[in-house]
Amino acid sequence: GEGDWPVAGSLAAGDDPSSVVMKPGQLVRVTTGSAVPVGADAVIQVEDTELLEADKARDVEVKVRVLRKATAGQDIRPVGCDIAVGDVVLRRGLAL
């Protein structure tokens, strides 16, 4: 919900989501394309937050304010949701 929240860690694309333990009452920063940690049920856009406290020595966020309430499932996409069964993803012989 809206309000001030402690930040438990961060995840970037390719990071193991089990590397950050998220408990009720905490947030985890996730970048576009990254997996969400266990326990997360929504993603809040950075534009809907305000940084309140950072640890500059460790270059991490410590506390943020959520400006808009999120709804369950918001901005969470299942892996492969953009590809339907039978879709061609890569053509045979395509050089990558």
Side-chain angles (χ1 to χ4, degrees):
E2 297 169 296
D4 301 349
W5 296 80
V7 180
S10 65
L11 290 169
D15 287 351
D16 177 358
S18 68
S19 67
V20 176
V21 177
M22 183 174 159
K23 298 176 183 169
Q26 296 179 323
L27 299 180
V28 172
R29 171 180 270 282
V30 296
T31 60
T32 301
S34 64
V36 295
V38 173
D41 65 354
V43 172
I44 300 167
Q45 300 294 319
V46 69
E47 296 86 356
D48 294 329
T49 67
E50 174 186 350
L51 179 61
L52 297 178
E53 184 182 344
D55 181 335
K56 292 184 181 187
R58 295 185 308 136
D59 192 30
V60 295
E61 295 167 322
V62 174
K63 186 180 276 191
V64 297
R65 176 168 292 148
V66 175
L67 306 173
R68 270 197 194 124
K69 184 178 179 179
T71 57
Q74 175 178 310
D75 290 327
I76 294 180
R77 308 287 182 270
V79 173
C81 70
D82 55 338
I83 302 169
V85 173
D87 281 356
V88 174
V89 178
L90 295 172
R91 300 232 179 257
R92 185 178 311 176
L94 177 68
L96 297 178

